Amino acid sequence: MESIGEVIESATTEFTTQCRELYSSPALGSLVISGSTDLVYGVVSHVTTKSLDPGRRPRVMGIESDTEEDIYSKNPQISRLLCTEFTSIAVGYSIDGNIYQYMPPYPPKIHALVSKPNIEQLDKFVDTLKFISIMLNSKFPSADETLVAFARETSASVREVGSFRISMGREISRLLSADTQRLTNILSRI
Amino acid sequence: MVNLNEEIGIVVGGSLTEGVEVRLNPDTNTENLRVGAFVRVQGNTSRFFGIITDIYLGMVDKHVGINPPGSNNKFISDSMAGIATYGNIQIEPRLVLNESGFEPSRTIPAHFSSVFLASQEDVDIIFGKEDKSHFYIGSPLDMETKLCLDMEKIVERSNGVFGKSGTGKTFLTRLLLIGILQSKKAVNLVFDMQSEYGWNGYSEARGGEVKGLKQLFPSEVQIFTIDKESSARRKIQPDFLVEIGYDDIQPEDIQMLRETLNLSEVAADATHSLAYEFGPRNWLKEFLALRGKDSIIILADKIGVNASALASLHNRLLRLVRLPFVKENGGNNSVKEIIMRLHKGVNVVLEFGRYGSDFSAYILVANLLTRRIYGQYAKIKEEAMGDREKEPIPLVITIEEAHKFLSPSLARHTIFGTIAREMRKYNVTLLVVDQRPSGIDEEIMSQIGTKFTCLLDNERDVDSVLTGASGSRKLKSILSKLDSKQQALCFGHALPMPVQVQTREYGSSESYKNLGSGIETDAKSLEENISDLFGDISDD
């Protein structure tokens, strides 16, 4: 599996991955897998591109007539100075091939390779949706937005779209039945 | 349709008195469930059976009701279905099945017990499988399974069939009569007011005739009639023509006819004085032989009765005896003829022809014959002195418009009241058919063992039928939801729990065959049989 990047910050609740290539992060809401034997599953909930050196902010580089492509082609050093990172909420893990949808007992190692799952891995993971409660209760700002993004991203990739959407809808209803506003807010955008 | 082995919901609350609350699973559609349907609840240690008594919708957060998702947003409503919005049913657990068999339930299942729609197996366990003494009467609502009546229990008590006109009482009664006939637990005597049971009857739904008891079971049923012309017109060969003599008519019979003959109490009571004066066998003949007002006044004086009352009595009785089957010189031993048939296990249907709509005729004949037959039965039973072999074969007497015989004012005096009250003391019970059960005396109603109730819309009728039934409030809501045809709520002695029944089909040749009638009821199969026996006739 082609890896997209390496873990640079890690906790049991979330982990941050730095992409190998600039702008090559997975979309918001995507499922990602970190590690090689014991895996940790995460859902991308925050993507940022910034300067590698925190003390050095990017500044305007192009002249008036430049397009965006011009700026990049005239300033090839940009890709060395910037990096794209994304943070994923940890939603599950697997040990010896068995998948568990709880917070992982141990966070992924630093420099663990992160990749996108293939169709089989994706289908297998979303077979049960118990991890949705982790996402809804996450302290991450805009957790709901992440959930909506996850639903949309996964609908586009799974084999059985119809049944996946209904299962998602039901699981969210189960968790948010006492809060109709939040529920309809989310459901209307999936 | 719901798969019978699929759980429809789980118990979430409730009480024994109010009913048990069941939360429906998200996949269960409330629209597939009906009030009155049978359910099975698998508790921790016991299996319960009950019926659905209410269905309602709920929501976890009331805001759903205030800001519902638009009707065009199916995804949201589907996602919420069964979770944020849900369906609940209320069930009444009636029976509990444990190792020693089933008995009335005195407790309720535990939280989260699974609830299923009852299957054929469940119905068989509760009501009994179809066999010689269990008659298949129909199916519980929305089920294909067969529901059977324990005929032994049916004939242990008097029973009643109630319902507005046109709701299928007659069909249901016919089925019950066939059930009794086939089980051989008793023999029937039917006072057939509208000529519906004997040879044939009329079906609104089929727009034509349906076969009666004699056509289906020719060797076990005989038709008696008081109107030979009507039988002739309908091309029926009755087995006996009933005639009643003046000497058969007793003061009690006239008492019964007080309302229909429009007699005052004094006038009706006068019959007793007349019987005392002229003797029990001659009083009517002598009384009616009087001519002219003067003779009546003299007689009135002699026996101490109000003259004008006596005169009106004379008037009415003259009219009564104009009925062609009432003979001055004595009847033809109809009672003996009937009893002879009954003893041989032959069922008797007495048709009234055109006199069916004359209440006086119906009441007179039914009352008179029953009184004598009952007397005979009592005699035989007492002579048998406990020896089962010598006891008379149990008899079920069917009367229609029962409220005319069993109204509060009459119930105490009539033979029918006596029969109902004495239960099975002399092996005689009643099958009352009526559309105004509120007109029947309460005490009698409470003696009726099993009740089969088709749709009733009068509040008082509903109340009177449900008197004494346990859980009558819930039964009331079920009763009001019955279809206007072919559906009945059955409860009482012969049934372990109340059940809403779709009566079995009656009228097609298939149905006749299923009822065990052995005769050829189908022209086509008759032809087949002929060609089997004689070869193809056209070959000649």
Side-chain angles (χ1 to χ4, degrees):
Chain A
M1 187 72 10
E2 276 277 346
S3 71
I4 328 171
E6 295 170 22
V7 175
I8 55 167
E9 258 180 64
S10 170
T12 42
T13 43
E14 71 233 15
F15 56 95
T16 307
T17 311
Q18 197 177 84
C19 299
R20 214 162 262 119
E21 267 179 51
L22 200 57
Y23 301 127
S24 64
S25 80
L28 181 71
S30 310
L31 188 69
V32 294
I33 308 183
S34 78
S36 43
T37 42
D38 289 345
L39 311 171
V40 172
Y41 292 80
V43 172
V44 176
S45 46
H46 183 66
V47 184
T48 143
T49 299
K50 55 190 185 192
S51 173
L52 266 170
D53 179 356
R56 238 180 118 162
R57 290 181 79 220
R59 54 178 187 83
V60 173
M61 290 218 124
I63 55 175
E64 215 177 293
S65 56
D66 283 337
T67 63
E68 205 181 293
E69 284 91 14
D70 291 337
I71 299 176
Y72 274 87
S73 53
K74 288 186 190 169
N75 298 285
Q77 76 278 24
I78 291 180
S79 56
R80 301 278 184 77
L81 299 173
L82 304 176
C83 69
T84 302
E85 291 174 5
F86 60 90
T87 309
S88 320
I89 305 179
V91 293
Y93 61 99
S94 94
I95 294 185
D96 295 335
N98 296 320
I99 298 183
Y100 305 95
Q101 291 178 351
Y102 322 131
M103 257 172 54
Y106 308 104
K109 295 205 178 105
I110 303 290
H111 295 297
L113 297 179
V114 177
S115 52
K116 288 182 75 161
N118 57 30
I119 285 279
E120 279 87 31
Q121 288 171 312
L122 180 63
D123 272 343
K124 194 166 176 210
F125 191 77
V126 301
D127 199 33
T128 27
L129 296 171
K130 295 208 260 298
F131 60 93
I132 305 270
S133 59
I134 305 179
M135 290 181 69
L136 279 175
N137 295 324
S138 152
K139 297 285 184 298
F140 240 88
S142 58
D144 290 1
E145 300 303 313
T146 308
L147 185 57
V148 172
F150 168 77
R152 300 187 95 102
E153 276 299 314
T154 316
S155 297
S157 319
V158 282
R159 287 202 185 101
E160 306 275 336
V161 183
S163 71
F164 169 72
R165 282 188 82 221
I166 279 289
S167 307
M168 279 257 5
R170 289 208 168 153
E171 186 62 32
I172 299 173
S173 290
R174 237 182 291 270
L175 296 164
L176 292 181
S177 54
D179 187 348
T180 316
Q181 288 280 53
R182 199 174 164 200
L183 178 60
T184 28
N185 215 4
I186 296 180
L187 288 180
S188 57
R189 291 185 296 140
I190 290 186
Chain B
M1 286 306 293
V2 184
N3 178 352
L4 288 180
N5 286 322
E6 244 173 55
E7 187 192 85
I8 56 169
I10 58 175
V11 174
V12 292
S15 69
L16 186 61
T17 43
E18 297 294 313
V20 167
E21 240 185 81
V22 173
R23 169 70 100 89
L24 295 176
N25 291 341
D27 299 321
T28 311
N29 187 352
T30 48
E31 294 172 12
N32 285 336
L33 300 173
R34 312 256 205 112
V35 133
F38 264 162
V39 290
R40 173 177 96 244
V41 183
Q42 192 56 48
N44 274 342
T45 46
S46 319
R47 213 195 289 185
F48 294 82
F49 294 97
I51 43 176
I52 298 180
T53 49
D54 203 0
I55 306 178
Y56 43 99
L57 301 176
M59 56 189 100
V60 177
D61 177 15
K62 67 176 195 287
H63 286 107
V64 175
I66 298 173
N67 278 323
S71 49
N72 53 2
N73 202 327
K74 197 160 184 315
F75 175 64
I76 298 189
S77 27
D78 282 348
S79 302
M80 286 193 189
I83 304 165
T85 55
Y86 55 86
N88 264 14
I89 53 173
Q90 196 181 63
I91 61 176
E92 196 171 279
R94 286 269 177 168
L95 297 177
V96 61
L97 178 69
N98 43 38
E99 308 87 29
S100 49
F102 61 76
E103 49 186 40
S105 158
R106 274 184 269 275
T107 182
I108 51 177
H111 262 109
F112 312 136
S113 302
S114 294
V115 179
F116 305 83
L117 286 182
S119 62
Q120 173 78 57
E121 224 182 73
D122 298 322
V123 173
D124 282 343
I125 296 175
I126 306 174
F127 294 96
K129 275 177 110 90
E130 189 177 8
D131 63 21
K132 206 98 234 297
S133 56
H134 289 83
F135 181 67
Y136 159 40
I137 188 104
S139 312
L141 265 217
D142 290 334
M143 296 177 82
E144 303 289 310
T145 55
K146 288 187 178 182
L147 188 102
C148 300
L149 282 182
D150 184 344
M151 294 319 283
E152 179 127 20
K153 288 215 129 97
I154 285 279
V155 304
E156 268 177 11
R157 299 270 187 281
S158 294
N159 303 297
V161 179
F162 307 105
K164 278 199 312 178
S165 51
T167 50
K169 282 196 308 296
T170 311
F171 275 83
L172 189 46
T173 309
R174 226 181 260 128
L175 286 172
L176 288 171
L177 292 173
I178 293 177
I180 296 173
L181 185 156
Q182 287 197 314
S183 70
K184 308 242 184 295
K185 298 282 176 201
V187 71
N188 290 305
L189 170 59
V190 182
F191 291 110
D192 190 352
M193 195 190 253
Q194 313 279 358
S195 305
E196 290 273 342
Y197 303 104
W199 185 254
N200 57 14
Y202 178 72
S203 163
E204 221 173 68
R206 303 185 143 262
E209 266 183 26
V210 292
K211 292 188 191 288
L213 268 55
K214 175 132 188 158
Q215 282 197 60
L216 295 180
F217 305 96
S219 54
E220 294 169 78
V221 179
Q222 290 211 346
I223 299 188
F224 281 34
T225 183
I226 56 172
D227 183 355
K228 101 173 148 209
E229 273 144 29
S230 156
S231 303
R233 252 179 283 133
R234 287 157 56 225
K235 304 209 178 24
I236 300 171
Q237 189 72 296
D239 297 286
F240 190 83
L241 190 53
V242 169
E243 286 169 358
I244 314 186
Y246 282 21
D247 53 349
D248 289 324
I249 300 180
Q250 301 291 315
E252 292 89 34
D253 300 318
I254 308 300
Q255 289 278 30
M256 280 239 54
L257 293 169
R258 198 169 69 75
E259 260 175 54
T260 38
L261 289 179
N262 205 2
L263 287 170
S264 67
E265 250 193 76
V266 178
D269 286 342
T271 50
H272 289 286
S273 316
L274 288 170
Y276 187 71
E277 174 71 16
F278 293 112
R281 297 193 73 77
N282 290 324
W283 70 274
L284 187 58
K285 188 163 175 191
E286 298 285 334
F287 182 50
L288 290 180
L290 295 179
R291 288 280 178 272
K293 241 185 5 189
D294 295 327
S295 38
I296 296 186
I297 296 179
I298 297 173
L299 180 59
D301 224 14
K302 186 166 180 212
I303 60 177
V305 167
N306 179 293
S308 62
L310 200 61
S312 78
L313 178 65
H314 194 262
N315 230 323
R316 304 283 191 278
L317 289 180
L318 265 181
R319 249 193 280 156
L320 184 69
V321 301
R322 264 192 247 139
L323 292 166
F325 56 88
V326 182
K327 303 285 188 214
E328 187 172 350
N329 293 318
N332 55 0
N333 266 320
S334 320
V335 174
K336 183 153 147 250
E337 296 288 327
I338 293 178
I339 293 192
M340 232 167 55
R341 308 302 194 274
L342 298 177
H343 276 339
K344 285 201 234 136
V346 171
N347 299 266
V348 174
V349 177
L350 176 54
E351 290 194 340
F352 286 76
R354 78 195 104 135
Y355 305 112
S357 32
D358 181 349
F359 283 138
S360 312
Y362 187 70
I363 295 178
L364 175 66
V365 173
N367 193 55
L368 195 146
L369 292 177
T370 303
R371 214 167 16 85
R372 307 282 282 281
I373 293 173
Y374 185 74
Q376 286 287 348
Y377 258 72
K379 194 160 134 221
I380 302 175
K381 177 99 189 237
E382 282 178 348
E383 280 171 3
M385 282 211 295
D387 183 354
R388 265 295 173 83
E389 301 294 307
K390 300 212 187 103
E391 281 189 13
I393 181 169
L395 170 63
V396 175
I397 301 182
T398 303
I399 48 169
E400 305 188 82
E401 300 288 330
H403 62 275
K404 296 226 179 280
F405 298 85
L406 295 168
S407 61
S409 51
L410 294 174
R412 275 151 239 286
H413 309 298
T414 74
I415 190 63
F416 296 103
T418 308
I419 296 176
R421 265 199 305 277
E422 291 191 347
M423 294 221 269
R424 218 186 168 192
K425 191 162 161 200
Y426 296 118
N427 290 14
V428 181
T429 54
L430 297 178
L431 174 57
V432 306
V433 183
D434 204 16
Q435 60 188 21
R436 267 199 53 216
S438 55
I440 298 181
D441 178 58
E442 244 179 58
E443 201 202 320
I444 303 285
M445 272 305 246
S446 65
Q447 298 285 49
I448 291 182
T450 309
K451 295 180 184 142
F452 301 85
T453 316
C454 304
L455 186 62
L456 285 170
D457 58 5
N458 183 307
E459 183 92 20
R460 283 179 34 221
D461 287 332
V462 171
D463 284 337
S464 84
V465 167
L466 294 177
T467 311
S470 64
S472 50
R473 248 188 321 132
K474 310 278 170 36
L475 293 182
K476 209 165 168 175
S477 73
I478 297 177
L479 189 47
S480 62
K481 301 274 182 313
L482 286 176
D483 253 8
S484 58
K485 277 203 162 3
Q486 267 203 305
Q487 281 185 5
L489 176 64
C490 316
F491 56 96
H493 180 75
L495 292 154
M497 57 184 271
V499 56
Q500 216 174 346
V501 169
Q502 182 89 20
T503 50
R504 75 192 271 185
E505 204 239 315
Y506 184 96
S508 66
S509 18
E510 179 84 38
S511 65
Y512 298 143
K513 226 186 310 176
N514 290 338
L515 281 165
S517 162
I519 59 169
E520 289 307 333
T521 51
D522 188 344
K524 182 157 172 267
S525 48
L526 191 57
E527 245 175 62
E528 278 171 13
N529 274 354
I530 293 178
S531 68
D532 274 348
L533 284 172
F534 298 109
D536 209 348
I537 303 179
S538 61
D539 275 355
D540 286 316

